[in-house]
Amino acid sequence: MAKKLVIKVTAGADAPERCSQAFTVAAVAVASGVDVSLWLTGESSWFALPGRAAEFELPHAAPLPDLLDSVLAAGRVTLCTQCAARREITEKDVIEGVRIAGAQVFVQEALADETQALVY
């Protein structure tokens, strides 16, 4: 099994099942002791802002704020630089613990030894 997991979630409220799957996999991996890096891109970028995850609803799915909190507590959450810029989100706007970084950092993480990358 990979010791590190990099997950890029591109979906938000526009594709709720895909979005929820990414956050669920990230949270389960963290709970299993895997080193997780969750990347928020596209419409999932909004979840880097305080309170936005609480607005997300999907029947029979774990609450998105709980999943996000578990990843923030034991993993890393990154907001894509370009995605943030397109939405006029800055470092002062995001939830504590969320960093903003670009494609170079994503590629570096995804290609690291003993790492599995997933895109939702």
Side-chain angles (χ1 to χ4, degrees), residues 2-41:
K3 295 186 191 236
K4 299 176 191 164
L5 185 60
V6 178
I7 299 172
K8 179 185 271 195
V9 55
T10 63
D14 59 326
E17 288 184 306
R18 191 162 27 112
C19 176
S20 180
Q21 289 168 359
F23 278 85
T24 300
V25 168
V28 168
V30 162
S32 300
V34 176
D35 180 3
V36 174
S37 178
L38 178 65
W39 282 73
L40 306 177
T41 67

Side-chain angles (χ1 to χ4, degrees), residues 69-92:
D69 287 347
S70 68
V71 177
L72 281 167
R76 285 176 310 290
V77 178
T78 305
L79 172 59
C80 161
T81 301
Q82 289 182 17
C83 300
R86 279 190 284 276
R87 290 161 180 81
E88 299 180 359
I89 299 172
T90 67
E91 288 183 0
K92 66 180 177 146

